[in-house]
């Protein structure tokens, strides 16, 4: 299997100290975890998981070609990712679209979202198992499918069809397949929302401070009173501001709900870093070691979880088991 970088090496490189052994060697980055002491590691080994983007084809072959699809999108944005850090960058045509998709892609592929997707898949499978005992619903499905196909479909045939789906759904690879199936669609959707969050501003940290990033680097928050930030809102929420760290000294802010100066003071940097830390999954990264970042990661790293208490789009509901089955068999799913 391919060793897949959940967070691209090139992105981590923006936060790394270059190697003293030559340009071809990976840089070093500080890594913080809740249960471990801070550690300086090579970017080449951080955030790697074998087969993360691989999927099982119908012929039983484990296919990792999706990795190259994602790599092309990342590479197309690398120049913009670097240039956007400069105050002299004038955002040529198409550059915002590239960076929005890049940030959205890192969000959509994050381990937090994969965990949520797997939990949701497990819940749907469990609910469908219970529906096998609902004779009325099985009859409704059979009748609907018969009308669609123009031929009789018995309740037994419908029951057997659901059981066949369940056997495939309970395969160990199914949660991964479900996660990957809509990864790009989800990224494009979020990118479109980000482009509507105006203005785009690049923030700078107070002297001697840096922005951190994490394994879930695109975040949202709502500014509260007294400079506090409350993280983890749906991207479509008007008052939710999106933030994406570009480097230790540059952070892209999208949205106008946080009317703050481009040059953040010490309190502003720490507040924003706390938001990044609280929405991380397992890892927080920085170029320079900061004791307060290590302490903050241990206290509340990952305290906001995708789909649990954060980042649930307003007005969006996951399909019920009944809706899922109707859609699976090509039938309209009622509201």
């Amino acid at each position: 299997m391919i060793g897949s970088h959940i967070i691209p090496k090139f992105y981590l490189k923006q936060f790394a100290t270059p190697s003293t052994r030559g340009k071809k060697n990976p840089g070093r980055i500080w890594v913080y975890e809740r249960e471990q002491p801070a550690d300086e590691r090579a970017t080449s080994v951080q955030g790697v998981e074998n087969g993360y983007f691989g999927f099982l084809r119908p012929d039983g072959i484990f296919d990792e070609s999706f990795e190259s699809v994602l790599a092309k999108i990342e590479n197309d944005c690398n120049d913009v990712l670097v240039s956007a850090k400069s105050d002299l960058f004038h955002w040529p045509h198409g550059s915002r679209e590239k960076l929005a998709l890049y940030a959205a892609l890192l969000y959509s592929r994050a381990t937090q979202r994969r965990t949520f997707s797997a939990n949701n898949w497990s819940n749907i499978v469990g609910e469908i198992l219970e529906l096998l005992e609902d004779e009325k619903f099985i009859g409704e499905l059979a009748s609907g499918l018969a009308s669609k196909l123009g031929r009789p479909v018995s309740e037994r045939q419908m029951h057997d069809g659901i059981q066949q789906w369940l056997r495939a759904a309970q395969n160990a690879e199914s949660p991964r397949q479900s996660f990957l199936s809509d990864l790009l669609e989800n990224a494009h959707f979020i990118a479109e929302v980000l482009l509507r969050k105006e203005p785009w501003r690049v923030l700078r940290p107070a002297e001697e401070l840096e922005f951190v990033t994490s394994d879930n680097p695109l975040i949202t928050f709502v500014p509260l009173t007294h400079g506090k930030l409350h993280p983890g809102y749906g991207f479509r929420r008007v008052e939710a501001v999106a933030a994406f760290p570009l480097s230790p000294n540059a952070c892209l802010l999208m949205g106008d709900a946080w009317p703050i100066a481009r040059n953040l003071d010490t309190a502003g940097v720490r507040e924003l870093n706390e938001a990044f830390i609280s929405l991380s999954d397992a890892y927080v990264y920085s170029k320079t070691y900061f004791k307060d970042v290590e302490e903050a990661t241990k206290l509340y790293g990952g305290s906001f979880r995708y789909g649990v208490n954060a980042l649930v789009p307003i007005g969006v509901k996951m399909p019920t088991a009944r809706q899922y089955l109707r859609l699976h068999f090509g039938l309209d799913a009622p509201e």
Side-chain angles (χ1 to χ4, degrees):
M1 291 185 182
I2 297 174
S4 302
H5 274 262
I6 302 167
I7 299 296
K9 286 189 293 184
F10 190 84
Y11 177 73
L12 289 179
K13 180 181 177 181
Q14 309 311 306
F15 294 84
T17 299
S19 172
T20 57
R21 294 180 295 172
K23 292 182 178 180
K24 292 185 178 181
N25 290 291
R28 311 286 292 183
I29 193 169
W30 280 96
V31 182
Y32 307 85
E33 300 178 65
R34 289 195 69 169
E35 306 297 332
Q36 300 292 334
D39 186 28
E40 192 178 29
R41 304 174 188 170
T43 56
S44 58
V45 300
Q46 183 55 38
V48 177
E49 182 174 321
N50 289 340
Y52 189 81
F53 300 113
F55 60 93
L56 199 64
R57 293 186 344 205
D59 59 6
I61 294 177
F62 192 71
D63 191 330
E64 297 187 85
S65 61
F66 192 41
E67 179 95 18
S68 60
V69 174
L70 297 176
K72 183 180 186 308
I73 297 174
E74 296 162 17
N75 293 337
D76 285 346
C77 185
N78 285 347
D79 288 343
V80 178
L81 180 67
V82 173
S83 300
K85 297 182 292 187
S86 172
D87 292 329
L88 301 178
F89 187 54
H90 292 296
W91 297 95
H93 179 72
S95 57
R96 289 177 186 269
E97 288 78 3
K98 285 184 178 181
L99 191 52
L101 180 57
Y102 186 89
L105 184 60
L106 266 59
Y107 167 82
S108 297
R109 65 198 269 178
T111 48
Q112 260 208 49
R113 182 172 176 269
R114 181 182 66 171
T115 299
F116 170 71
S117 177
N119 289 340
N120 185 62
W121 183 260
S122 177
N123 290 338
I124 287 179
V125 169
E127 292 170 7
I128 290 177
L129 275 169
E130 295 179 3
L131 283 176
L132 284 174
E133 306 301 322
D134 189 332
E135 295 180 1
K136 181 181 178 181
F137 178 66
I138 298 295
E140 291 173 354
L141 275 183
S143 177
L145 188 57
S147 177
K148 179 180 176 66
L149 298 177
R151 59 177 174 80
V153 176
S154 69
E155 292 183 15
R156 171 49 58 187
Q157 288 174 315
M158 196 73 252
H159 192 278
D160 291 346
I162 295 174
Q163 285 191 318
Q164 182 180 5
W165 179 89
L166 279 168
R167 284 193 290 272
Q170 291 172 312
N171 184 286
E173 288 294 325
S174 292
R176 182 206 303 270
Q177 310 279 89
S178 176
F179 166 64
L180 295 176
S181 66
D182 69 344
L183 195 156
L184 284 180
E185 180 182 357
N186 188 73
H188 280 284
F189 167 75
I190 292 173
E192 291 176 3
V193 177
L194 293 178
L195 289 170
R196 295 196 295 269
K197 284 189 174 295
E198 296 181 337
W200 280 25
R201 294 174 286 159
V202 175
L203 304 180
R204 303 294 178 189
E207 189 174 353
E208 297 184 357
L209 291 180
E210 297 175 0
F211 294 120
V212 302
T213 191
S214 81
D215 52 3
N216 184 35
L218 175 64
I219 71 164
T220 60
F221 60 82
V222 168
L224 305 177
T225 56
H226 309 299
K228 302 300 290 182
L229 306 178
H230 191 264
Y233 287 78
F235 287 99
R236 292 193 297 181
R237 188 158 178 167
V238 175
E239 64 270 36
V241 178
F244 180 61
L246 302 173
S247 72
N249 64 355
C251 177
L252 178 63
L253 191 73
M254 294 160 277
D256 62 356
W258 194 29
I260 196 163
R262 288 176 181 266
N263 296 314
L264 298 186
D265 58 17
T266 299
V269 175
R270 287 178 176 165
E271 193 66 33
L272 188 53
N273 278 345
E274 286 181 6
F276 288 122
I277 293 168
S278 66
L279 283 163
S280 64
D281 188 22
Y283 303 104
V284 174
Y285 307 110
S286 71
K287 182 175 183 179
T288 306
Y289 169 74
F290 290 98
K291 183 175 179 58
D292 61 332
V293 172
E294 181 174 17
E295 292 175 347
T297 301
K298 293 186 181 303
L299 283 172
Y300 48 79
S303 56
F304 285 85
R305 312 300 296 179
Y306 177 81
V308 179
N309 58 353
L311 301 171
V312 180
I314 301 300
V316 174
K317 296 180 180 179
M318 299 306 298
T320 65
R322 293 171 182 268
Q323 291 171 332
Y324 193 95
L325 274 180
R326 291 186 65 87
L327 291 171
H328 174 72
F329 288 106
L331 305 175
D332 293 333
E335 296 296 330

